Amino acid sequence: MFIAGMVASAARSTASYYIRGPRCAKWSLVFQIRRDVMHKAMSSNLKRSPTDAEIEQIDFGLIAKHNEKWDLPTSEVPANMGAFRAASIRVADIDVDPELFAGAGPAESGLRLLVAQDLQETGREIPYEFTAPISMLGEGCDLERVFKCTPIDESENIVLYVHGGGYRYGSPASHRSLTGRLSGLSGLRCMSVHYRLAPLHPYPAQLHDAFLAFVYLLKQGFKPQNIVLAGDSAGGNLALSLLLLLRHTGITRTVCGLVLLSPWTDLVSSRSSLERNAKYDYLTGPPLLSPLAPARVFYAPGRRYSQALFDEMSHPLVSPVNGDFKDFPPTLIQAGDKEVLADDIAQLYENLLRDNPDRQDSFIYECYADMIHVFHQFMELDDAAVAYASAGKFMKGL
């Protein structure tokens, strides 16, 4: 029935394209079909969303198994961009003082608990993939040195990438095509982190893993001013939250730069693009009042809605659009004007300019006409190629 529904969705999309024309001027038939099939897949389980009165009946373990079954497919690094190797971080090798997290709002208790758990579970590892650009893989190159996570020289910049997927899907494997292009076009090596996923590992497990990955890079000899934080969608949220946490702990106030692709900046947003662009974007989901709202499944699965929960999810370490961005590093934001998150992303850019009136040229917002959420994944789009080239140029210039 699921497959039949997808076929029917593709057929309706095709008929609409030829009868009414493309939904947006830049949309090809293939792109419109892909958008509609993705939207149908995301909305197929939303015919009836439970209420908080039924919250005890929700099996989040079953939801996690469903997410794993329908996880994002594996992609590959384009051969002309670079290559990757898998590795892992041994968490026991990283000492973290839990007092660093004092005063970290809704993240504090969870981070302290996760530090304590890591002291007990001494065998835990954080997998990652390490991508090297094609410019470092020529004839006669030292492959062991290229794929070793240590600086090649003191001035080398490196990308720490955290993938998207609503904090419930995705991995470095699903984002190889994306990270491979960013690495190849920037000439920078890239560490893509396989952080833990909700709902089995709710907030702040992802922030904890990203924090450990950053500290790991410092232990390997990289300096904060040589680390570029990057991410798409939920990964954009995580990259922003990570930098805000690093500033809070005093580990560093800045990094080399930020690259944010359609970042999820506000988990409790009610801005108008959520409705205005619903007919264009593939993103969909129940509202925040539902216990299956994506933000609640990530932040507090099984917890009833309340003003206290709303306030916690509005905290900058959860919804970073509300953060203090004074002295933030150079930042590139890319998004589409047909995203349901468009207004949240625009608000982030406005806040960056507001907090840095004397450095406005340090912040770039590229809004692509007719494009939807993380349009970079649709490799057939001309705008995707333009965006990758722009991101590569930005990172190369840092």
Side-chain angles (χ1 to χ4, degrees):
M1 292 182 63
F2 179 81
I3 295 175
M6 297 303 102
V7 172
S9 177
R12 287 192 297 271
S13 184
T14 302
S16 174
Y17 190 90
Y18 284 114
I19 294 172
R20 300 185 180 90
R23 204 165 300 142
C24 293
K26 288 186 177 181
W27 289 19
S28 67
L29 172 61
V30 172
F31 179 73
Q32 183 160 309
I33 290 174
R34 290 185 67 185
R35 176 272 170 199
D36 290 351
V37 169
M38 290 173 69
H39 184 270
K40 175 66 175 178
M42 293 190 71
S43 60
S44 60
N45 294 325
L46 302 177
K47 294 180 180 179
R48 179 185 177 278
S49 182
T51 66
D52 274 6
E54 305 162 288
I55 201 167
E56 286 81 8
Q57 302 172 27
I58 300 174
D59 187 339
F60 287 98
L62 189 62
I63 290 175
K65 290 182 180 179
H66 178 272
N67 292 348
E68 185 176 350
K69 179 180 179 181
W70 296 102
D71 202 357
L72 303 180
T74 296
S75 63
E76 296 301 331
V77 177
N80 65 332
M81 291 290 173
F84 80 95
R85 283 188 183 178
S88 63
I89 300 167
R90 188 170 179 269
V91 174
D93 293 338
I94 304 176
D95 295 326
V96 176
D97 181 359
E99 291 304 315
L100 287 171
F101 306 124
E108 179 179 352
S109 60
L111 289 171
R112 286 179 180 271
L113 177 61
L114 291 167
V115 170
Q117 289 177 349
D118 282 341
L119 290 175
Q120 295 179 337
E121 302 170 14
T122 56
R124 189 170 84 88
E125 296 185 345
I126 302 174
Y128 68 88
E129 291 187 357
F130 200 71
T131 302
I134 194 68
S135 59
M136 292 186 179
L137 299 175
E139 184 177 349
C141 72
D142 185 345
L143 286 178
E144 291 306 313
R145 187 182 185 195
V146 167
F147 285 105
K148 185 178 181 181
C149 188
T150 55
I152 291 178
D153 58 61
E154 291 185 357
S155 63
E156 183 194 10
N157 292 342
I158 189 171
V159 180
L160 176 58
Y161 195 90
V162 279
H163 66 80
Y167 285 121
R168 295 172 296 154
Y169 302 95
S171 67
S174 67
H175 282 62
R176 282 178 197 150
S177 180
L178 194 158
T179 53
R181 283 174 167 80
L182 291 180
S183 177
L185 292 168
S186 67
L188 303 181
R189 296 188 295 168
C190 175
M191 171 197 261
S192 182
V193 182
H194 198 337
Y195 58 79
R196 290 168 288 182
L197 299 176
L200 291 186
H201 301 283
Y203 181 90
Q206 302 76 18
L207 185 56
H208 181 56
D209 286 352
F211 179 84
L212 292 176
F214 189 92
V215 175
Y216 173 77
L217 287 177
L218 298 183
K219 288 178 65 68
Q220 296 301 105
F222 291 97
K223 299 174 183 177
Q225 60 266 31
N226 294 121
I227 300 175
V228 180
L229 298 181
D232 65 286
S233 191
N237 176 287
L238 184 51
L240 283 163
S241 298
L242 173 60
L243 182 50
L244 292 173
L245 179 63
L246 291 167
R247 287 157 68 104
H248 174 82
T249 61
I251 288 179
T252 184
R253 281 200 56 80
T254 191
V255 292
C256 183
L258 279 167
V259 176
L260 308 172
L261 313 180
S262 298
W264 190 15
T265 66
D266 191 349
L267 271 64
V268 296
S269 173
S270 59
R271 294 183 178 90
S272 62
S273 60
L274 290 170
E275 294 185 5
R276 184 178 72 248
N277 287 335
K279 64 181 178 180
Y280 303 112
D281 209 350
Y282 59 86
L283 286 185
T284 187
L288 199 62
L289 290 177
S290 167
L292 292 185
R296 288 176 63 183
V297 172
F298 156 59
Y299 180 76
R303 182 173 164 186
R304 292 177 182 273
Y305 184 82
S306 65
Q307 184 62 47
L309 179 62
F310 182 91
D311 292 344
E312 289 175 29
M313 295 173 66
S314 300
H315 190 278
L317 290 182
V318 187
S319 294
V321 71
N322 300 317
D324 176 4
F325 303 109
K326 183 176 175 55
D327 299 326
F328 238 54
T331 301
L332 171 66
I333 304 169
Q334 294 179 337
D337 71 347
K338 293 298 187 288
E339 298 198 36
V340 294
L341 304 182
D343 289 353
D344 301 342
I345 296 168
Q347 186 64 59
L348 170 68
Y349 177 63
E350 292 175 13
N351 292 352
L352 284 164
L353 298 182
R354 174 202 66 198
D355 292 348
N356 299 275
D358 300 327
R359 298 177 49 245
Q360 301 209 354
D361 58 351
S362 295
F363 308 102
I364 302 171
Y365 177 33
E366 297 178 351
C367 188
Y368 291 76
D370 293 346
M371 294 295 102
I372 58 178
H373 189 62
V374 195
F375 62 91
H376 310 73
Q377 65 190 298
F378 302 97
M379 305 302 175
E380 72 273 14
L381 292 173
D382 291 339
D383 279 345
V386 171
Y388 280 121
S390 178
K393 180 180 179 181
F394 175 81
M395 290 191 288
K396 188 178 292 186
L398 291 172

